[in-house]
Amino acid sequence: MKKILLHITGSISCYKACELTSLLTKQGFEVQASLSQGALKFLQPAVFEGLSHKKALTPDMFAGVPDCIPHITLAQKWADLIMIYPASANCIARLASGLSDDLFGATFLANNFEKPVLLAPAMNSNMFAHPAIQENLKKLESWGTKILPTEEGRLACGSVGKGKLISPEAALDFIKGAL
């Protein structure tokens, strides 16, 4: 059974991570959800705990985790693949800067791309097109992160354009292709 560390960030599209978790578990993957501080504003950990049958992780590096070095264990021993879905502008900037003041930031650094890392951006079209985001995505890609495409369509803000999170089904296909 392949193990997926699914990191969910604070984007209005984070509700799609619930469907991705369900799809993954139905396909026989073991899913460990990790929620950013922003994601916790939209969704409760109990949603992912019910779907994955595993306690969801939060930004606090040691909260409720029986492991004294969870970032090392998750990155180097547990996960077969790391999926960031959705990846907000804030998450992308934090990862590209190497910030590790929360559980996922430290896990990302501890992985050092020994396991596949997939990142699915989700944000407003202007934010997605901003040079800071594009430079950060290029930097992450140059390090070994697989940047998934965005869809074009109606966004939560009402505008139409690029930056829409890919569907859970498309994300599942990318995960299968990376393993």
Side-chain angles (χ1 to χ4, degrees):
M1 176 184 304
K2 294 290 185 178
K3 298 174 181 175
I4 310 298
L5 175 59
L6 177 62
H7 185 61
I8 301 105
T9 72
S11 163
I12 189 67
S13 63
C14 67
Y15 72 92
K16 293 180 181 182
C18 300
E19 179 63 22
L20 179 57
T21 302
S22 179
L23 289 170
L24 286 165
T25 57
K26 287 176 185 175
Q27 298 255 335
F29 292 94
E30 186 174 346
V31 179
Q32 175 63 71
S34 163
L35 286 84
S36 73
Q37 198 63 48
L40 291 169
K41 302 287 185 191
F42 292 99
L43 297 166
Q44 294 296 310
V47 173
F48 294 96
E49 291 167 0
L51 292 168
S52 70
H53 306 287
K54 293 182 81 56
K55 182 158 181 54
L57 303 174
T58 60
D60 185 344
M61 193 145 352
F62 304 105
V65 179
D67 191 335
C68 63
I69 48 171
H71 57 294
I72 303 298
T73 302
L74 285 166
Q76 297 175 12
K77 298 176 183 172
W78 189 84
D80 293 309
L81 180 140
I82 298 171
M83 174 63 148
I84 307 156
Y85 183 91
S88 66
N90 183 61
C91 173
I92 292 165
R94 290 177 57 78
L95 295 177
S97 297
L99 295 178
S100 60
D101 61 342
D102 66 6
L103 178 58
F104 187 73
T107 302
F108 181 78
L109 292 181
N111 176 49
N112 206 21
F113 303 98
E114 292 173 10
K115 313 278 179 68
V117 178
L118 307 181
L119 184 146
M123 64 200 74
N124 169 273
S125 299
N126 287 347
M127 294 172 71
F128 185 67
H130 194 281
I133 294 298
Q134 291 304 308
E135 285 179 28
N136 285 333
L137 288 171
K138 286 177 186 159
K139 180 191 279 189
L140 290 169
E141 189 171 44
S142 76
W143 292 347
T145 302
K146 169 76 173 161
I147 308 301
L148 305 185
T150 63
E151 292 181 358
E152 193 165 333
R154 188 174 190 285
L155 305 171
C157 62
S159 65
V160 176
K162 291 183 179 181
K164 184 176 179 177
L165 181 64
I166 62 170
S167 71
E169 295 80 10
L172 176 62
D173 288 342
F174 277 106
I175 289 169
K176 288 178 175 180
L179 289 172

